[in-house]
Amino acid sequence: MNKERLMKVLVAPVISEKASRLADRCNQVTFRVLTDATKQEVAKAVEMLFEVEVDRVQILNVKGKQKRFGQRLGKRQDWRKAYVRIKAGQDIDFGDAA
């Protein structure tokens, strides 16, 4: 896999109450990823960027919500989310901005 592609696969971490609970209980981290990213690409990107070992990756497509803008109907963009389980004893800390 191309190293440039792996640098672009992870768009942003998902910081939510559910993601925090998963991180504490199941050692899982949640990321927003490219819409055409594969499980293998996500795993390699996490291992390369954060220097941890990935145990398992689950990917799901999040459908955009229907919204109204005045009298016009619109739709938010669809996006993709990846749940990455990290092997026991390892951790990714997003709060360390050094």
Side-chain angles (χ1 to χ4, degrees), residues 10-67:
L10 301 178
V11 176
V14 175
I15 308 298
S16 66
E17 199 171 321
K18 179 180 178 182
S20 298
R21 215 171 340 140
L22 283 173
D24 292 339
R25 292 183 186 169
C26 303
N27 208 21
Q28 281 186 333
V29 183
T30 309
F31 292 100
R32 188 174 187 152
V33 296
L34 294 178
T35 55
D36 60 343
T38 63
K39 290 182 179 185
Q40 291 82 12
E41 286 177 334
V42 172
K44 294 241 189 243
V46 170
E47 287 176 349
M48 182 181 74
L49 291 173
F50 299 105
E51 298 173 358
V52 295
E53 292 182 39
V54 173
D55 186 29
R56 183 170 131 174
V57 177
Q58 293 175 305
I59 292 183
L60 62 100
N61 294 317
V62 179
K63 301 296 181 188
K65 293 181 179 181
Q66 295 286 337
K67 289 290 183 179

Side-chain angles (χ1 to χ4, degrees), residues 69-85:
F69 300 101
Q71 291 185 345
R72 299 193 186 272
L73 288 177
K75 182 178 177 285
R76 288 188 180 166
Q77 192 172 13
D78 297 340
W79 56 286
R80 200 162 203 192
K81 185 181 346 183
Y83 293 104
V84 180
R85 179 170 288 163

